[in-house]
Amino acid sequence: MANMYNINGLSYNAKENPEWFTRAMFGGRLIQGGYIRVLTGVKGDELLSQIDLENKILQIDGKDCAWTPNQIIKLSEKKASVKTYKINLEQCIDELENKRTLYQLSPGAKNESLPPELEAATLALIAIGLSNEIEEMVVGGDESVDPNQFNGMVKTLLSSAVSIQLAGAVLTKANVLDKVEAVYNAIPEEVLQSEDAGTLYVMGSYNTRRLIRAALADKNNQVIAASWTVDDADKRNPRLYYLGMEFVPAKGIDNNTLIGYDSRNAYLLTDLLSDLDEVELGNFPKPNEDKVFIKGRLRLGFVIPFEDEMVIMSTAISTDRPAQDDGLAVAPNSLVFRAAGESKTFNVVTNTGVEPTLSTAPTGFTVTKGSATSANGKDTTPVTVVAADNTGAMRPRVGQIIVSLPDEDRNVTVTLNQRNEDVDTVTP
């Protein structure tokens, strides 16, 4: 084939080589602005390992040499999936003719090849269109509506069992500021720390941004307006902030939906090492030499590692669902016993109706689970631990009780320490 251009060897660093693929992946506003992160190297279905804290770090010091490690790091895994997409485009050169094209062609030449400048321009336009399509799917993709799409941010959060959900309403100039405030107030406290990192955002439609600007323009009350900051370095596209949280307009989100999130918790998935197996632009062979084609292949997906840290307000939600705790807590998480033996109690707090399970009692201890009492949607179950006499033993007695929830990969460890001599019997 004549005039074949293989651009498979481009650098994938957007700053070093802003060529076709880089413009396609990083040229969109959400990606370029850092509002959505890119996770590379995802070739198919993969598990993304994440870490979190699950137990208290501090323990009571039993004033002995016992080593009672308490596991505090929990590994959680989120499935990341990508789909393979292809680019098959065909265009007749005659349809591309304009004054620029005519001047680029040599005198008397047939329309059998693209001038180099037009080739670059064509690839650039395709890259812009592709980046827009990708960003629309990142936000509003729904594979139940279109199997060719992947589930984007809105679909993922609406379908999630743990996301923070707020019942929405039709957004107007009169209520839009209050609704943004409601999203901000629903964001978990630990996520608000991302204000300092500059990664906290609220996403809405371009129409919602227009409503916010109109509402702020009407506000003469400085007490109300003080919560909002407008960075008008770009007069045509000023950046809007509510208490440090930037408003991000996006395609793919409807006019009545708002999403509060940390950009470090939203990833476009791709495989930058080989996801464009080949990107080619060239002419068909005769007798179709007046047609050009663009051909490529890439893999794309989207994932939210921690769905419980995002807030969505939508008219598709009828009942508020606030931030959920993990459904399991113990207090205290460490018990220290006298050498002569004694009884102590810790409490297990779960959601109402959820009965915790306990591991087998370690040697020298007996464990008894009491009856739960309910209040404010929580059950409190007392657990009594009795330590046998350990006086005169060679070393202190240690052990642990693992408290878990049925059918859930969630547990908390209570450490047990018993001295082999009591200070008050050794020192008068």
Side-chain angles (χ1 to χ4, degrees):
M1 297 182 184
N3 301 318
M4 184 70 69
Y5 304 96
N6 191 327
I7 58 172
N8 201 35
L10 292 180
S11 165
Y12 299 124
N13 188 317
K15 295 181 179 178
E16 293 179 0
N17 194 347
E19 296 296 340
W20 188 91
F21 180 72
T22 320
R23 282 196 296 266
M25 296 303 302
F26 300 99
R29 184 172 183 273
L30 294 183
I31 305 299
Q32 193 174 50
Y35 303 119
I36 299 291
R37 304 301 174 94
V38 178
L39 187 61
T40 64
V42 182
K43 298 176 179 294
D45 291 352
E46 297 186 12
L47 293 179
L48 305 179
S49 295
Q50 305 288 337
I51 63 172
D52 200 356
L53 293 176
E54 66 171 351
N55 284 327
K56 299 292 184 182
I57 299 175
L58 297 178
Q59 302 180 28
I60 294 294
D61 185 357
K63 293 184 172 60
D64 54 41
C65 296
W67 171 247
T68 55
N70 191 6
Q71 179 175 314
I72 64 170
I73 298 296
K74 177 185 178 183
L75 287 175
S76 59
E77 293 182 323
K78 180 74 175 181
K79 184 178 180 181
S81 301
V82 292
K83 291 184 175 181
T84 300
Y85 293 87
K86 64 181 180 180
I87 305 168
N88 289 343
L89 301 174
E90 177 183 322
Q91 182 68 56
C92 177
I93 296 179
D94 287 331
E95 296 175 7
L96 295 174
E97 275 197 349
N98 54 30
K99 186 175 181 179
R100 172 191 171 97
T101 309
L102 293 175
Y103 277 103
Q104 291 293 336
L105 294 174
S106 58
K110 296 181 180 180
N111 292 339
E112 296 179 355
S113 63
L114 282 176
E117 294 83 356
L118 191 55
E119 172 205 338
T122 302
L123 286 175
L125 289 175
I126 297 298
I128 293 172
L130 178 59
S131 66
N132 287 335
E133 288 186 33
I134 291 173
E135 291 198 347
E136 286 190 41
M137 278 201 290
V138 163
V139 177
D142 186 345
E143 61 185 6
S144 66
V145 175
D146 184 352
N148 294 322
Q149 296 183 351
F150 53 81
N151 286 335
M153 186 181 292
V154 174
K155 176 65 175 180
T156 300
L157 294 177
L158 288 177
S159 304
S160 173
V162 296
S163 63
I164 303 170
Q165 299 186 355
L166 302 177
V170 175
L171 295 180
T172 65
K173 186 172 73 171
N175 69 8
V176 66
L177 300 184
D178 291 336
K179 297 303 182 182
V180 173
E181 180 182 2
V183 171
Y184 179 86
N185 291 338
I187 295 175
E189 182 177 351
E190 59 271 19
V191 180
L192 288 178
Q193 298 175 14
S194 58
E195 286 178 319
D196 297 333
T199 57
L200 185 65
Y201 302 102
V202 57
M203 180 182 291
S205 69
Y206 280 89
N207 183 68
T208 301
R209 183 181 68 169
R210 178 169 54 191
L211 293 176
I212 293 174
R213 294 183 65 182
L216 291 176
D218 284 350
K219 294 297 182 183
N220 295 321
N221 186 338
Q222 294 301 313
V223 176
I224 297 177
S227 301
W228 286 85
T229 304
V230 179
D231 180 359
D232 57 356
D234 184 347
K235 299 294 184 182
R236 294 174 297 180
N237 186 29
R239 303 173 74 172
L240 306 174
Y241 297 85
Y242 177 77
L243 297 179
M245 177 179 66
E246 183 179 354
F247 180 83
V248 180
K251 296 181 179 180
I253 188 170
D254 69 64
N255 292 336
N256 301 312
T257 297
L258 294 171
I259 299 175
Y261 71 105
D262 183 336
S263 64
R264 296 170 295 185
N265 194 24
Y267 291 95
L268 169 65
L269 308 173
T270 188
D271 178 4
L272 292 189
L273 298 179
S274 61
D275 56 351
L276 286 180
D277 296 329
E278 56 180 11
V279 178
E280 299 171 329
L281 182 148
N283 293 87
F284 286 100
K286 292 182 179 182
N288 298 312
E289 70 274 14
D290 59 340
K291 291 184 178 181
V292 293
F293 67 84
I294 299 175
K295 180 181 178 182
R297 185 178 298 271
L298 67 162
R299 297 179 181 89
L300 296 169
F302 177 76
V303 69
I304 300 173
F306 299 103
E307 295 171 4
D308 58 336
E309 296 183 358
M310 281 199 182
V311 180
I312 182 169
M313 174 183 286
S314 171
T315 52
I317 301 169
S318 57
T319 304
D320 289 353
R321 184 174 68 193
Q324 305 177 46
D325 56 32
D326 56 23
L328 177 62
V330 297
N333 70 328
S334 180
L335 300 176
V336 178
F337 299 87
R338 294 172 56 86
E342 61 179 322
S343 173
K344 289 193 173 184
T345 301
F346 67 88
N347 291 316
V348 181
V349 181
T350 61
N351 294 326
T352 299
V354 179
E355 184 177 356
T357 58
L358 307 177
S359 62
T360 304
T363 302
F365 299 96
T366 58
V367 180
T368 304
K369 183 171 62 175
S371 300
T373 58
S374 299
N376 300 322
K378 295 292 183 181
D379 284 355
T380 300
T381 304
V383 178
T384 301
V385 182
V386 178
D389 189 352
N390 194 44
T391 304
M394 292 184 61
R395 60 180 61 87
R397 178 183 290 152
V398 298
Q400 64 181 19
I401 301 172
I402 300 176
V403 184
S404 56
L405 298 179
D407 303 323
E408 291 189 30
D409 184 19
R410 177 77 175 93
N411 60 70
V412 177
T413 301
V414 178
T415 59
L416 309 176
N417 295 270
Q418 185 182 17
R419 305 182 182 99
N420 58 349
E421 59 179 357
D422 292 320
V423 177
D424 55 358
T425 61
V426 176
T427 305

